Amino acid sequence: MLIASLPLHAVAQDAPPANEAGTDGAATGDLGTVRVIGVYEPPADPFALENPVDYAATRFQRDWREPPSLEEIGMRGGIVHIAINQGLLMAAQQVTKLPGWKHQVQGATARPPPLDEEEAQRAMRVRQTLSP
C-alpha cells in the first residue's frame, strides 16, 4: 500500500527553511537547494509478454534516418552548415574510388616463407654439423 502511494516522478527533499540555514532566502531571491533522492520505478510485470525471439535489425532499419526537424537543423548550425557537412561526406566517399586508393582495413595476406627449398636444405645440413 505504501509503494502505491509514492509518486511516479523524482522524490525530492526540500532544503531546510531559510531561517534555519542562517540566511534569509526571501531577501536574496534564492529559493534554496533541492536534493533529488531517487526515481520510483514500478516493479516489472511478471505476466507481461516478453518476445523470446531476438531478431537483428534489417538493413532498412539500420540505414533509415528520419529527416531532421527545424529545431534539429537549428541546433546543428543551420541548413548551410548541414549542407557543407553533407558535401564533405560525399566528397570523402568519392575519394575512395580514385585509382590507387587503399582502404584503411586491409585483408590478411600470407607472407612468403622465410627460406626457399634450397636454403632450407642448406640450413638443415649446417645445423646437423653443428649439433654434438
Side-chain angles (χ1 to χ4, degrees):
M1 196 65 171
L2 178 63
I3 293 176
S5 66
L6 290 175
L8 294 177
H9 54 79
V11 179
Q13 181 179 8
D14 293 330
N19 293 340
E20 291 179 17
T23 60
D24 187 14
T28 61
D30 186 17
L31 296 178
T33 306
V34 176
R35 189 173 63 124
V36 176
I37 296 180
V39 177
Y40 170 71
E41 293 182 11
D45 183 8
F47 301 107
L49 175 67
E50 293 182 18
N51 190 355
V53 178
D54 185 26
Y55 62 92
T58 63
R59 179 153 183 94
F60 181 76
Q61 290 170 334
R62 285 192 308 263
D63 293 339
W64 176 254
R65 302 287 184 270
E66 287 287 333
S69 67
L70 292 176
E71 180 182 4
E72 289 174 332
I73 290 173
M75 295 297 283
R76 293 182 189 172
I79 194 72
V80 174
H81 186 69
I82 291 175
I84 290 171
N85 285 343
Q86 288 295 322
L88 290 173
L89 181 65
M90 290 190 315
Q93 290 173 347
Q94 295 301 320
V95 165
T96 61
K97 296 179 181 178
L98 292 174
W101 172 265
K102 290 187 178 180
H103 292 282
Q104 293 180 349
V105 178
Q106 296 289 323
T109 56
R111 63 183 179 137
L115 303 174
D116 61 6
E117 189 63 35
E118 182 183 325
E119 290 173 335
Q121 293 295 331
R122 181 172 161 246
M124 190 63 106
R125 285 192 307 267
V126 169
R127 184 171 179 182
Q128 289 173 353
T129 60
L130 293 178
S131 349

